[in-house]
Amino acid sequence: MNNRKTGKPVEILLVEDDPGDVRLTQEALKEGKVLNKLHVTPDGVETMEFLRQKGKYAKAPRPDLILLDLNLPKKDGREVLAEIKTDKDLKRIPVVVLTISQTEEDILKSYNLSANCYIIKPIDLEQFIKVVKSIEDFWFTIVTLPPTGRR
Amino acid sequence: MKDRLKTKEQLISESVEMRQRVAEETERKRVGKTILKAEEYAESIVQTVREPLLVLDSDMRVISANRSFYQTFQVTPREVEGKVIYDLGNRQWNIPKLRKLLEDILPKNTVFNDFEIEHEFETIGRRIMVLNARRIYHETKRMQMILLAIEDITEQKRAEKELKQAEELKQAILALERSNRELEQFAYVASHDLQEPLRMVSSFTQLLAKRYQGKLDKDADEFIAYAVAGANRMQALINDLLTYSRVDTRGKSFKPIDSEAVFNQAVANLRVAIKEGEAVITHDPLPPLIADDLQIVQLFQNLLGNAIKFHGKEPPRIHVSAKQEGNEWVFSFRDNGIGIAPEYFDRIFVIFQRLHGREEYPGTGTGLTICKKIVECHGGRIWVESEPSKGSTFYFTIPTIRR
């Protein structure tokens, strides 16, 4: 896997419309131990363009992990999740739903759409940083991810 | 012979005459019978009809009344027959408008329907009557008369009024429920949606504190500290508001619960506070309940937590007991804390109301409001009895049977 030793950063796509949240995630990831490159798409439509390398994202890398907020403008996170998980090229990319929503409905729906996990954003900064670091740690040092490349 | 013998013509003419007379007589009898029958018929209708009827002559004197009239107004024929209608009873029918209506019937051949009067009757008290009248013609007496039908609609009116009131009440309740639901929805959405921007404020002030505490000047440290404290406090308020607004929406699973277990859970949740405050909590046997267990844990926890928080000079001693009174359990939480002055007995249950500065006692002022809502959700009441510096006892009731 990509890690600090090989010097090749992991590619993380953060789907998030709130610049404050983006910044917080960046700050949290800075404290992580894995060298990473964070890409951000602010809505569902751009996310799908990024993943399918369309338009201005023609040269976008294939992310190793997607952090997906549910409430997004234009096309919301649930739709994005459904599209990713039914696309034969994209479905193996792990998707971590990272949202403020605590509703049972959203949790069930996300898992039914094959989200890899569902995380409620902690309100407290320290907790939030801890969670983001844990996500990074879990997905890039513990988990064995499928080989990249589009098959 | 000629005298004795009638001519054939005579015989024929007599015979015709005779036959005519017989026919006339028969016809007269038949008509008479018919008239009699018609009178009997009319009379039996008048007598049978369940509403009171009066027959009046052109001078408004009562010719006759039916049985129902006597029964309804509890009067005898002697008090009624031959009397002018306006003089009956305590002159209850002597109403100018009614007089005009009645007196127009014969000369103008008019009719009136559903004339309503409300009156304090001599014998039967306040009643509402509706009157209908028309002209009738008495065959044998060959005179014009007035048939006046009187209907007591008091009960009907009362039923209508009650129905209307019940309907209005129902509408009012529905409107209240709706506005209550909207308010809860509002509180929930507001607190939920407020979380997002607040999280930003609080996270970035925390980030500022974390990175720059001690690296700027003394003022900056102080400002950051206030910003962090304000954001934290706002967070606590919103969280409590969210908890409060969720009591109703989530408290739908009433099931048999063991309040001993609930008590133990509440005590376990408070173990840190109990240990730090050196609190001693005792209890009598507690009954099983039909309730929402999570809510009752919260209720116990809030009451115990308050008793610990508002302790006096001595370490807190709290005693919990329950006794059955009629169809409900009355729980009591007695403490030896600072107590509450009577003028605040109601205010303490109002949301965000606090009796002390935050420096003295932390908190948002929602704990007892949540208690009240939980108790009311279970169909009970909550109140306090207390004397300053002598401790407080909080009481609440939970119905033994779920209605």
Side-chain angles (χ1 to χ4, degrees), chain A residues 15 44 48 68-72 75-86 95 97 99-103 105-115 118:
Chain A
V15 185
M48 294 319 296
L68 179 68
D69 189 13
L70 286 183
N71 297 319
L72 301 170
K75 182 182 278 185
D76 83 359
R78 301 159 194 85
E79 292 171 81
V80 170
L81 181 60
E83 266 188 62
I84 293 171
K85 291 302 180 184
T86 51
V95 178
V97 174
T99 176
I100 195 109
S101 169
Q102 304 185 13
T103 65
E105 196 192 339
D106 274 336
I107 298 170
L108 277 175
K109 180 153 194 191
S110 298
Y111 282 112
N112 285 340
L113 292 173
S114 306
Y118 189 104

Side-chain angles (χ1 to χ4, degrees), chain B residues 97-161:
Chain B
K97 208 172 160 201
L98 178 62
R99 285 183 81 132
K100 172 95 175 83
L101 285 169
L102 280 171
E103 282 154 26
D104 275 354
I105 290 176
L106 293 184
K108 297 186 183 165
N109 192 15
T110 51
V111 157
F112 73 78
N113 291 318
D114 298 338
F115 181 76
E116 205 177 294
I117 70 162
E118 187 171 350
H119 189 81
E120 190 73 34
F121 289 88
E122 249 183 347
T123 45
I124 52 173
R126 179 158 290 271
R127 313 295 288 179
I128 302 168
M129 301 281 174
V130 58
L131 309 183
N132 283 277
R134 61 181 57 244
R135 185 175 77 164
I136 52 170
Y137 183 69
H138 201 294
E139 280 286 340
T140 39
K141 291 180 183 156
R142 301 195 182 261
M143 60 189 280
Q144 306 266 19
M145 296 182 301
I146 297 168
L147 179 66
L148 177 64
I150 303 159
E151 192 184 352
D152 184 345
I153 55 161
T154 315
E155 293 309 315
Q156 189 187 326
K157 279 269 165 180
R158 185 181 301 155
E160 273 172 20
K161 202 173 156 194

Side-chain angles (χ1 to χ4, degrees), chain A residues 81-99:
Chain A
L81 181 60
E83 266 188 62
I84 293 171
K85 291 302 180 184
T86 51
D87 184 306
K88 65 180 170 46
D89 283 332
L90 303 174
K91 67 181 177 190
R92 286 183 308 275
I93 304 174
V95 178
V96 173
V97 174
L98 187 60
T99 176

